């Protein structure tokens, strides 16, 4: 079977440092070209990564008949525009998160997918990692009892005024940049959508973006999820799942490197300070490579995608509700 031929639209750091190197190690695909609005930057990236072709415009890479699928790591406000252009050009699309900035935009992508028949997926790479397969298997087995609460934290420090994360005009801020991850964790664990959300944000006085957002998500059957995301707090990635028999903790749920040995900790609380906790190890995995392989397999086989747009629509509804709650000061329904 011929490998799926990929093009990259944009030269963002995540593409150059993580995604393209991972794709170069993947099976069933080949990255053949990269595009930038700066031809020199595209050429430099292609030379650095050993790619065959580079383009000085995004439209030029879409016009390349040899490219079957594209990966889009552009700033958030450009995701929908270029995903639609790519699909209309006959390309399948893997696009960075958040896939859109509101529910209306995401519905435009769903309409585009249905109209063009192309595959469009949000790059929520954590769902390709084995630690989440293992975690959801433990939850489904009933080992930790009935799960009634989930907490998710994703914080880091980014004070760079040139960073797109600190530009409110193009979809910056902690919620857009990091919120997808703990929202996904809660929805995966509960296998359901929240009914209402209460949230608060703190905004950077210079950048105008939310530098800290916290939210409580109320799920059916009196289950709760809490999340905290920040672009100006010390680095922390953590998820904890609370069951009626045990709690389950993931110390690096969102961004393990391909060499990280992930740890799932189970604690029945019989001893203080986690003295009775059991640790289960999960073999290292390259979640970016697995994501690209699974998407490419769907392109070749015609099977459904690992993450459909309807899943991303659920995430966007939560983000919209969080933003409404921040403005209104009350709990908002989805």
């Amino acid at each position: 079977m011929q490998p799926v031929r990929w093009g990259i639209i944009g030269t963002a750091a995540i593409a150059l440092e993580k995604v393209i190197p991972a794709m170069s190690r993947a099976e069933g695909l080949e990255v053949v070209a990269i595009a930038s609005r700066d031809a020199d930057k595209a050429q430099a990236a292609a030379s650095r990564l050993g790619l065959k072709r580079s383009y000085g415009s995004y439209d030029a890479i879409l016009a390349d008949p040899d490219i079957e699928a594209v990966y889009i790591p552009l700033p958030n406000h450009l995701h929908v525009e270029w995903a639609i252009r790519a699909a209309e050009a006959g390309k399948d699309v893997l696009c960075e998160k958040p896939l859109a900035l509101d529910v209306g935009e995401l519905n435009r992508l769903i309409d585009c997918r249905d109209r063009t028949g192309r595959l469009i997926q949000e790059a929520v790479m954590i769902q390709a990692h084995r630690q989440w397969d293992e975690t959801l298997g433990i939850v489904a087995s009933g080992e930790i009892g009935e799960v009634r609460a989930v907490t998710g934290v994703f914080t880091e420090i980014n004070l760079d005024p040139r960073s797109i994360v600190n530009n409110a005009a193009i979809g910056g801020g902690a919620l857009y940049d990091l919120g997808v991850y703990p929202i996904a964790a809660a929805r995966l664990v509960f296998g359901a959508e929240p009914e209402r959300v209460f949230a608060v944000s703190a905004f950077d006085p210079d950048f105008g973006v939310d530098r800290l957002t916290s939210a409580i998500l109320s799920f059916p059957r009196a289950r709760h999820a809490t999340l905290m995301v920040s672009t100006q707090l010390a680095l922390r990635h953590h998820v904890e799942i609370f069951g009626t028999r045990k709690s389950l903790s993931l110390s690096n749920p969102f961004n393990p490197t391909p060499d990280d040995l992930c740890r799932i900790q189970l604690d029945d609380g019989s001893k203080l300070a986690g003295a009775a906790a059991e640790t289960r190890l999960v073999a290292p995995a390259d979640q970016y490579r697995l994501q690209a392989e699974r998407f490419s397999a769907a392109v070749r086989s015609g099977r459904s995608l690992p993450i459909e747009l309807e899943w991303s629509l659920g995430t966007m509804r939560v983000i919209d509700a969080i933003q409404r709650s921040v403005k209104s000061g009350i709990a908002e329904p989805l």
Side-chain angles (χ1 to χ4, degrees):
M1 186 177 293
Q2 290 294 315
V4 174
R5 298 178 300 279
W6 284 77
I8 312 298
I9 300 180
T11 54
I14 188 173
L16 302 186
E17 297 170 9
K18 293 185 177 181
V19 177
I20 300 174
M23 293 175 78
S24 71
R25 298 187 293 269
E27 297 180 358
L29 64 106
E30 179 186 9
V31 181
V32 298
I34 189 166
S36 170
R37 287 174 170 164
D38 181 329
D40 290 338
K41 183 181 287 188
Q43 177 58 53
S47 297
R48 168 183 165 184
L49 296 163
L51 306 184
K52 297 176 180 177
R53 298 191 287 280
S54 66
Y55 293 98
S57 75
Y58 304 150
D59 284 316
I61 200 170
L62 294 183
D64 186 337
D66 192 43
I67 292 172
E68 300 172 85
V70 295
Y71 165 66
I72 301 176
L74 296 173
N76 296 340
H77 71 303
L78 297 176
H79 289 175
V80 171
E81 174 188 352
W82 285 100
I84 289 175
R85 289 195 186 194
E88 290 177 341
K91 316 300 184 186
D92 296 312
V93 180
L94 179 66
C95 182
E96 268 305 326
K97 66 209 105 28
L99 192 52
L101 296 181
D102 58 46
V103 167
E105 282 195 349
L106 215 148
N107 278 323
R108 287 178 59 206
L109 283 181
I110 292 175
D111 290 342
C112 176
R113 176 201 64 189
D114 294 345
R115 172 169 46 85
T116 63
R118 308 318 307 178
L119 301 179
I120 304 176
Q121 180 184 309
E122 186 174 25
V124 187
M125 74 292 182
I126 65 169
Q127 290 182 239
H129 200 286
R130 297 186 186 107
Q131 71 171 334
W132 278 101
D133 294 335
E134 181 72 16
T135 295
L136 296 177
I138 293 171
V139 169
S141 74
E143 179 179 353
I144 66 173
E146 181 185 354
V147 175
R148 295 180 181 170
V150 176
T151 64
V153 174
F154 197 159
T155 60
E156 61 186 22
I157 295 178
N158 183 341
L159 301 176
D160 183 357
R162 299 166 298 176
S163 171
I164 61 174
V165 173
N166 291 320
N167 188 335
I170 60 175
L175 179 60
Y176 279 137
D177 189 47
L178 306 175
V180 168
Y181 299 101
I183 291 170
R187 294 171 64 219
L188 287 169
V189 169
F190 286 138
E193 303 297 336
E195 297 174 320
R196 60 187 184 279
V197 171
F198 176 74
V200 291
S201 291
F203 293 86
D204 185 278
D206 297 318
F207 301 142
V209 298
D210 66 303
R211 61 185 179 190
L212 171 63
T213 291
S214 302
I216 300 173
L217 282 55
S218 177
F219 284 80
R221 306 206 317 269
R223 298 173 296 172
H224 298 162
T226 60
L227 66 88
M228 182 180 74
V229 291
S230 176
T231 54
Q232 295 185 20
L233 291 175
L235 183 65
R236 175 73 163 160
H237 304 175
H238 186 77
V239 165
E240 190 154 10
I241 302 167
F242 297 90
T244 52
R245 296 191 187 123
K246 298 178 182 179
S247 64
L248 184 156
S249 299
L250 298 171
S251 59
N252 194 358
F254 305 133
N255 204 23
T257 71
D259 300 324
D260 283 343
L261 189 64
C262 295
R263 290 167 171 80
I264 298 174
Q265 189 174 73
L266 301 169
D267 191 351
D268 64 8
S270 60
K271 295 182 181 179
L272 294 176
E278 171 198 356
T279 298
R280 297 181 188 174
L281 302 179
V282 180
D286 187 338
Q287 56 191 0
Y288 291 105
R289 172 180 173 172
L290 292 170
Q291 173 181 253
E293 288 179 343
R294 292 177 184 182
F295 186 96
S296 297
V299 170
R300 274 290 172 263
S301 68
R303 295 193 299 265
S304 60
L305 287 168
I307 304 172
E308 294 287 1
L309 288 181
E310 284 72 16
W311 167 266
S312 297
L313 180 62
T315 299
M316 202 70 252
R317 284 173 173 157
V318 175
I319 291 175
D320 274 9
I322 288 173
Q323 292 174 327
R324 293 197 308 272
S325 181
V326 168
K327 291 179 180 178
S328 70
I330 62 174
E332 294 284 347
L334 258 69

